[in-house]
Structure formats: structure tokens, C-alpha cells
Amino acid sequence: MALVTLADLFFRFSALGLLIALVLFNWPRLTHFERLLSVALATSLACFLLLTQPLPEWRFNPLRNLFLAATELLPLILCACAWYLITLRVPHWLTLSWGRWLLACAVLASSSVFLIYGGNTHWHTLMHLFSAFAMCAALYYCLANFNDDLVHSRRRMRLILATFALLHCLVLIGFELSASLIRRDPIYLLANAVFVFCLLLLLTGVSRPATRDNGSSSQTAQQTLPVSAHWLTTYEALQTLLAQGIYREPELTIGLLAERLDIPTHQLRTLINQQLGCKNFSHFINQYRLAYAAEQLRDLTHARTAILSIAYDAGFNSIGPFNRAFKQAYALTPGDYRRQHLSAVQSSSKDCTGS
């Protein structure tokens, strides 16, 4: 057996071992839906590793079509993982019985085509199109609002998934545009195995549980402080800028805010995330913008000011995100909120005058 083939098999089966270890290591801290996702991802990736191994006789294995069916689902599962990583919620339609049945029937129908006909169908080409779309969607999910994400572990996972999605797109295009012989080239297969192994090794490194602070007793003793003593100076400087209305700047980013505070961006992320409990920079800033907008809507002197003007003055770039964020925070649209509070103020003033 050639040395390249031996190296390929070593990295390939080492990757399988890492994959199993990752699932078992993270299993106790995963939710039910996360366990389903991890099993689906691990199964499809394992089938991909076995399907693309360099042994020529594998091409005639009766189980090859089974592994091909699972491999074709890998990009779609990766896209689902990226979406769940960012939103941290289960799609509503999957909580319904018809949604789960629909998903199961779609997976069964697609797998049956590969089990019966293999890759010699138009469905195989169509699945490649679905895969390209799924990888582009996964890339978008991972990179959209990347700078606003304050959770370091999730930012690392975004980069890992985005890198895998981008490289998978390139490999997919290369597969379709290259000659068939290149697909079975030993060097190409070895590079593929090494890449997956390195990716899983990186995932193993970032999957370590966060160390817990053993000084919980001292923390309760300092409960009166808004943040720990180490962050107090930076926190006070941040509060000063917020009191001056820096949140009303529509182009404010975490980088610009860190520059105004004269601290590195990663320190500001740590302060807002770990000390103030916010996982997203936009959510942190919007708290102040929405409070300012609500104050303006309650003010009788601004009763005739357009809501769009108030949204712009608060720091929002458009009315749509402002309306959505306001309704989520106050359970009322800005117009309903204004009418409710202004009518209450007017009623109280009439009661005071006795009219």
C-alpha cells in the first residue's frame, strides 16, 4: 500500500475517533434538539470520510450508496447547525408533528433515490445545487453581525463553520468542474482528510468547558458593585459616555466605542458580556436607544413629532428595526405606546384641574 494511502487512512480514521470523542464529551451539556443535530452532523461527516477513502475496492462496496445518501445531507445539516448557533432556538415548524413528519419524509425520499440509483441521477445534480445554497446560507449566518456577537466561544464557532462552508463550496465547485480522475487523486483525497482532521482537532480545543470562578463567596460579598472591582474604572467611563448620549450615534460600533474608551475591543466585549450579561452589542446599545425613544414618546412636547424622527434621533437607521425592537421590548408598537401614555397623562391632568 502506498505511503500516501496509509497517511490518508491514518488522518481519516483519526478524524473519526475525534468525531466520536467530541459527541461523547459534549453530550451531557446538550439539549435534546442539540443532541439530534450533533448525531446527524456526526453521522453525515463520518459517512463522508468513509465514502471518500482512497481504497479502489470501496467503489464496489454494496453499502456505498448508503454512505452517499448520508453524505449528500452534510451541507444541509451544517446549514441547520449554523442557523441554530446564531438563533439558539428550534424552528417553530419543527415543534409541530406535521413538520417533523415532513422532514422525515423528505430525508427518506432523498435517501431512497441514492440507495436505489446511486449518483447517476439528475437528483444528484439537484442536491449539489441545494448544497451550494445551504453553504452560502451557512456562510451568511456565521458572518452576519459577527462583530456584534459578544460571546467569544460562539464567535470562534462562527469562524470555524464559516471556514468550512467556504471551503466546502470551493471543493464542490472543483468536483463539478474537474475531470473525474482528479476526484480520486491520492493527494487530493489526503488533503481532504487532513483538512477534516484539523477542523475536528480545532473543535476539540474550543469545546473545553469554561472554567468556573471559585471565588463565588467573595463575589457575593461585593454584590453592591455593578461590576467587579477590576472593571469598575472602565464601567464608569462607559456609563459616562452613555449618559452623554453616545448610543444615539447611528454608526456606533463596538470598535468605535472601544476607541472612545481607549481600550482594546476584546476587553469591551468581555465587560459587556461577562460583567453586564449582554450577548449581543446591538441588543446592549438598543436598550438605551429604546429607553430614550420611549421617553420621547411619553413626552407631551413631542406629541406631534413623527415616530420616524424619534427613531432616527434615538440612533436607529430605519423604522423597521426600530418598530420590531420596540414591540419586543414593550409589547406595544411605538404608536400604541404613545397613545396609551399620552391619553393617561391627559386624563390625569384633567382630573387635577377638576374639568
Side-chain angles (χ1 to χ4, degrees), residues 150 254 268-278 281 284:
L150 304 177
I254 192 169
L268 181 57
R269 283 197 179 96
T270 303
L271 169 62
I272 297 175
N273 175 226
Q274 299 182 9
Q275 299 295 314
L276 303 180
C278 290
F281 180 71
F284 170 73

Side-chain angles (χ1 to χ4, degrees), residues 306-317:
I307 292 178
L308 179 61
S309 299
I310 292 177
Y312 285 153
D313 190 40
F316 288 90
N317 284 312

Side-chain angles (χ1 to χ4, degrees), residues 24 48 53 90 108 118 127 185 195 197 205 225 227 230-232 237 239 244 298 309 326 330-331 333 338:
L24 294 178
F48 171 76
Q53 62 178 286
V90 180
L108 181 61
M127 281 297 294
D185 184 88
F195 167 69
F197 173 79
L225 293 176
V227 295
H230 173 74
W231 291 100
L232 192 56
Q239 290 302 309
Q244 294 171 356
R298 294 192 302 267
S309 299
F326 193 95
Y330 294 96
T333 64
R338 167 186 268 175

